[in-house]
């Protein structure tokens, strides 16, 4: 079977997404148990949960990744969980390939796959194909057949200076850390800027992983990444499967203290012990490499002890406390507060992604399918998980179970906006362009010349946040500092300074993009 499904599969897929701490795993298990009882109104019996949390793919480390304990899974099979080692990389395209295989296998058993997780980026690209480059790579190391190169790619490659051309032909296997090796990270961004400025301005130079991914897309396709994106933008993406999506949501004023309490519980359950284990794994690997004992290429998967689970909230926050020879109570409290703050910020970003990215894509696909068949291909429902206890059964469990049955039967589904006032509010979003080219163009980064103190490490700001940056305290402080540095020279330059002062002032309040 073709793992990339060029046409919509008639077989159903259930998706449960939402922020951390709202009960996604709990609902996934409840629906799976309900489906295990079977029904005389649809042919499916049983379900399997497919993990879509980028941290829970790593083996062990159950506390820091908030995995549901085995005894609470009630016998429901969980796939794509605990199958990577700490330090081993897993990219979005790789996870999607694994997820499609798990979905196909589940369908072959006449069971329902239930994708559950908070990594909405992965979920969105699983639902909608043709939006993530380099999905199909030979697993045996064989080279993909050469694609005909585009004229723009050939011209850009020819114009590269020798230093960047050498870098293009010798890209690093792993993305460098911008903290540990800012020079190579910046050089990679310089290379992308020289080849494909439109895509380069989408990424911060410090985001070396995304910069390197864009360069690999260019290498593999022998076209500019922006050309690939333009081609993708010509069609409205159709979902791989007939998908029912549940978005679990809790109001921020209730979710925040719930998340804080969960951090406290994680500490009680052994969070610091897990972090110490992760630190020991990374230290041992570093020592082996320094001693020259690292395995040769091909013997082990790619390992990077700054990515994957090493980005889990809690690891970085407790670094200073655990590194101190005599850690203080204050350092511990500060680490706890930083972890709570990081968790709350992450939850906010998860909601932002769903409303600004996933929901517009779903709406666009449903508008297209309604025009063709009169029905949505990705019905999406918000379930209000603000209240727990009896309210969970009423507002979440019972509603999800009823809608799932209707969905599998092929019967009429309720209007998503009618489930609750919260659903009506959160599911109503301003129409936004969803094609990749429009998204790329709308999110160009700009270099802030005022805030950049080291040209080799420029301050870059997302275009959509430019006005916020200009009004920020830090930018205003740097603007004032720059103005003060210019004033002394004015006392000695007299009238001849006026022209330059007028010219310079035009760049103080408005930072120029790196064109």
């Amino acid at each position: 079977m073709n793992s990339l499904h060029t046409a919509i599969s008639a077989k159903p897929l259930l998706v449960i997404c939402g922020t951390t701490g709202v009960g996604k795993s709990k609902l996934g298990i409840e629906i799976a148990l309900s489906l295990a009882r079977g029904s005389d109104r649809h042919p499916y019996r049983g379900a399997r949960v497919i993990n879509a949390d980028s941290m829970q793919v790593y083996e062990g480390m159950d506390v820091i990744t908030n995995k549901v304990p085995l005894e609470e899974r009630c016998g429901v099979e969980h796939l794509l969980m605990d199958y990577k080692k700490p330090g081993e990389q897993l990219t979005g395209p790789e996870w999607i390939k694994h997820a499609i295989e798990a979905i196909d296998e589940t369908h072959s058993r006449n069971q329902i796959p239930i994708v559950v997780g908070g990594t909405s980026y992965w979920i969105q690209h699983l639902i909608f194909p043709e939006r993530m480059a380099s999905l199909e790579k030979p697993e045996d190391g064989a080279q993909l057949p050469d694609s005909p190169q585009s004229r723009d790619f050939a011209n850009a490659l020819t114009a590269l200076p020798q230093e960047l051309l050498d870098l293009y032909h010798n890209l690093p296997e792993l993305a460098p850390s911008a903290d540990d090796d800012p020079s190579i990270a910046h050089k990679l961004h310089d290379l992308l800027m020289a080849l494909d400025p439109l895509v380069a301005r989408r990424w911060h130079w410090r985001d070396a992983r995304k910069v390197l991914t864009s360069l690999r897309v260019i290498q593999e396709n022998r076209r500019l990444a922006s050309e690939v994106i333009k081609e993708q933008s010509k069609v409205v993406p159709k979902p791989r499967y007939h998908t029912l999506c549940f978005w679990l949501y809790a109001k921020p004023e209730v979710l925040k203290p719930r998340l804080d309490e969960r951090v406290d519980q994680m500490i009680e359950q052994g969070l610091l012990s897990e972090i110490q284990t992760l630190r020991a794994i990374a230290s041992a690997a570093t020592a082996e490499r320094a001693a020259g004992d690292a395995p040769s290429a091909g013997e082990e998967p790619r390992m990077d002890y700054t990515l994957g689970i090493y980005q889990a909230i809690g690891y970085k926050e407790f670094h200073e406390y655990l590194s101190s020879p005599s850690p203080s109570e204050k350092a511990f409290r500060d680490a706890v507060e930083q972890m709570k703050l990081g968790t709350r910020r992450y939850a906010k970003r998860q909601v932002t992604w769903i409303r600004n990215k996933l929901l517009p894509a779903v709406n666009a696909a449903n508008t297209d399918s309604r025009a063709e068949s009169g029905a949505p291909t990705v019905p999406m429902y918000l379930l209000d998980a603000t209240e727990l206890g009896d309210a969970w059964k009423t507002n979440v469990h019972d509603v999800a179970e009823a809608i799932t049955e209707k969905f599998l039967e092929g019967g009429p589904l309720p209007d998503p906006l009618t489930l609750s006032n919260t659903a009506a509010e959160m599911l109503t979003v301003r129409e936004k362009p969803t094609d990749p080219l429009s998204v790329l163009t709308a999110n160009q980064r700009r270099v802030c010349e005022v805030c950049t103190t080291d040209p080799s490490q420029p301050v870059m700001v997302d275009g959509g946040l430019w006005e916020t940056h200009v009004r920020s305290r830090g930018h205003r402080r740097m603007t004032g500092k720059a103005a003060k540095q210019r004033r002394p020279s004015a006392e000695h330059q007299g009238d001849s300074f006026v022209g330059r002062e007028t010219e310079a002032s035009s760049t103080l309040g408005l930072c120029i993009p790196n064109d």
Side-chain angles (χ1 to χ4, degrees):
M1 180 179 291
N2 180 5
S3 64
L4 291 185
H5 295 276
T6 55
I8 299 177
S9 170
K11 294 184 177 179
L13 173 69
L14 266 58
V15 169
I16 301 174
C17 63
T19 65
T20 184
V22 291
K24 299 184 297 295
S25 297
K26 173 180 169 65
L27 180 61
I29 292 169
E30 289 176 350
I31 293 178
L33 292 174
S34 173
L35 290 171
R37 295 192 292 267
S39 171
D40 57 4
R41 294 190 292 272
H42 62 75
Y44 302 99
R45 187 181 185 90
R48 303 159 96 198
V49 168
I50 298 172
N51 168 55
D53 185 302
S54 62
M55 296 295 108
Q56 293 185 3
V57 301
Y58 293 97
E59 63 185 23
M61 311 306 154
D62 296 350
V63 176
I64 196 171
T65 61
N66 285 296
K67 291 175 191 161
V68 177
L70 280 172
E71 62 272 16
E72 294 180 18
R73 297 180 193 176
C74 303
V76 174
E77 188 176 1
H78 283 59
L79 308 176
L80 303 191
M81 188 176 282
D82 290 306
Y83 78 112
K84 292 290 180 179
K85 297 178 181 178
E88 190 176 353
Q89 288 192 56
L90 179 68
T91 66
E94 289 169 342
W95 176 84
I96 289 171
K97 181 176 182 294
H98 300 160
I100 290 172
E101 291 169 352
I103 290 168
D104 288 347
E105 182 187 353
T106 303
H107 282 151
S108 71
R109 298 182 176 193
N110 213 34
Q111 295 178 324
I112 298 296
I114 307 175
V115 174
V116 180
T119 307
S120 298
Y121 174 70
W122 285 4
I123 289 174
Q124 180 166 338
H125 290 285
L126 171 65
I127 296 174
F128 299 107
E130 314 302 337
R131 287 294 189 260
M132 190 179 282
S134 305
L135 267 178
E136 286 197 277
K137 295 182 180 179
E139 296 183 0
D140 57 2
Q143 293 293 315
L144 288 169
D146 284 343
S147 305
Q149 66 180 14
S150 72
R151 179 180 299 177
D152 287 347
F153 165 75
N155 291 340
L157 201 63
T158 302
L160 286 179
Q162 189 62 45
E163 180 184 13
L164 292 183
L165 184 62
D166 291 343
L167 179 59
Y168 173 81
H169 289 300
N170 297 279
L171 293 177
E173 181 182 355
L174 300 176
S177 165
D179 291 327
D180 298 337
D181 199 348
S183 176
I184 184 61
H186 198 274
K187 279 294 182 186
L188 287 171
H189 193 270
D190 287 345
L191 172 58
L192 185 58
M193 181 66 75
L195 287 171
D196 200 342
L198 188 63
V199 170
R201 293 193 186 101
R202 176 66 183 92
W203 308 127
H204 197 290
W205 69 269
R206 295 183 64 85
D207 200 345
R209 190 177 183 184
K210 290 177 181 174
V211 171
L212 183 59
T213 296
S214 296
L215 289 170
R216 293 216 177 277
V217 169
I218 293 172
Q219 269 193 343
E220 291 164 9
N221 291 277
R222 304 181 75 196
R223 291 183 294 162
L224 302 184
S226 57
E227 292 182 288
V228 176
I229 291 170
K230 288 176 184 176
E231 197 168 279
Q232 291 178 344
S233 299
K234 294 177 181 178
V235 295
V236 175
K238 295 184 182 296
R240 284 189 173 91
Y241 307 95
H242 187 34
T243 306
L244 171 62
C245 188
F246 290 122
W247 171 15
L248 259 64
Y249 176 82
K251 294 177 181 177
E253 62 271 20
V254 174
L255 181 62
K256 288 177 181 178
R258 191 186 298 173
L259 295 177
D260 288 349
E261 182 181 356
R262 191 169 74 168
V263 169
D264 294 332
Q265 292 171 349
M266 291 168 68
I267 294 171
E268 293 174 2
Q269 293 165 0
L271 172 69
L272 268 59
S273 176
E274 286 191 356
I275 295 176
Q276 290 280 37
T277 299
L278 287 172
R279 287 162 59 92
I281 292 171
S283 296
T286 301
E288 285 181 6
R289 287 175 181 170
D293 296 332
S296 59
E299 291 183 12
E300 290 286 341
R302 303 189 311 274
M303 307 300 280
D304 188 324
Y305 297 96
T306 63
L307 299 175
I309 198 169
Y310 287 88
Q311 294 177 316
I313 298 173
Y315 185 81
K316 175 184 67 177
E317 287 77 6
F318 277 96
H319 174 75
E320 183 176 342
Y321 172 76
L322 294 175
S323 300
S324 173
S326 53
S328 66
E329 182 63 26
K330 181 182 182 302
F332 174 77
R333 291 197 304 269
D334 289 346
V336 172
E337 287 307 310
Q338 285 301 308
M339 183 174 177
K340 289 178 177 178
L341 178 61
T343 303
R344 294 195 297 267
R345 285 175 172 170
Y346 177 55
K348 185 176 181 179
R349 291 196 302 272
Q350 287 175 304
V351 171
T352 299
W353 179 280
I354 292 172
R355 294 200 81 207
N356 292 348
K357 304 285 188 180
L358 178 57
L359 189 54
V362 166
N363 289 343
N366 286 339
T367 297
D368 193 55
S369 67
R370 285 191 184 98
E372 291 181 358
S373 64
T377 53
V378 189
M380 183 169 182
Y381 292 88
L382 182 143
L383 303 177
D384 192 345
T386 302
E387 298 179 51
L388 301 178
D390 292 340
W392 168 275
K393 186 175 188 309
T394 303
N395 299 334
V396 178
H397 175 274
D398 291 352
V399 176
E401 189 175 272
I403 292 175
T404 298
E405 284 295 311
K406 288 289 186 183
F407 173 75
L408 296 178
E409 293 168 14
L413 298 174
D415 182 344
L417 300 183
T418 63
L419 291 194
S420 67
N421 291 334
T422 302
E425 176 188 354
M426 297 302 295
L427 291 175
T428 302
V429 295
R430 181 170 55 88
E431 186 174 342
K432 297 180 180 181
T434 59
D435 67 277
L437 183 60
S438 296
V439 173
L440 176 66
T441 306
N443 289 279
Q444 296 285 283
R445 290 183 182 271
R446 301 168 65 172
V447 173
C448 180
E449 305 289 355
V450 171
C451 294
T452 297
T453 57
D454 181 355
S456 68
Q457 299 189 37
V459 174
M460 301 182 74
V461 182
D462 191 301
L465 302 175
W466 180 253
E467 293 303 323
T468 302
H469 172 74
V470 170
R471 293 193 300 269
S472 69
R473 182 182 302 175
H475 178 85
R476 287 187 282 112
R477 184 174 64 249
M478 294 299 292
T479 300
K481 184 177 180 180
K484 287 180 182 178
Q485 289 174 343
R486 287 176 170 81
R487 280 195 200 109
S489 60
E491 297 174 3
H492 305 289
Q493 298 287 336
D495 291 342
S496 65
F497 180 78
V498 173
R500 287 195 298 275
E501 171 68 20
T502 303
E503 180 181 357
S505 65
S506 67
T507 64
L508 290 178
L510 178 64
C511 304
I512 307 301
N514 189 20
D515 290 327

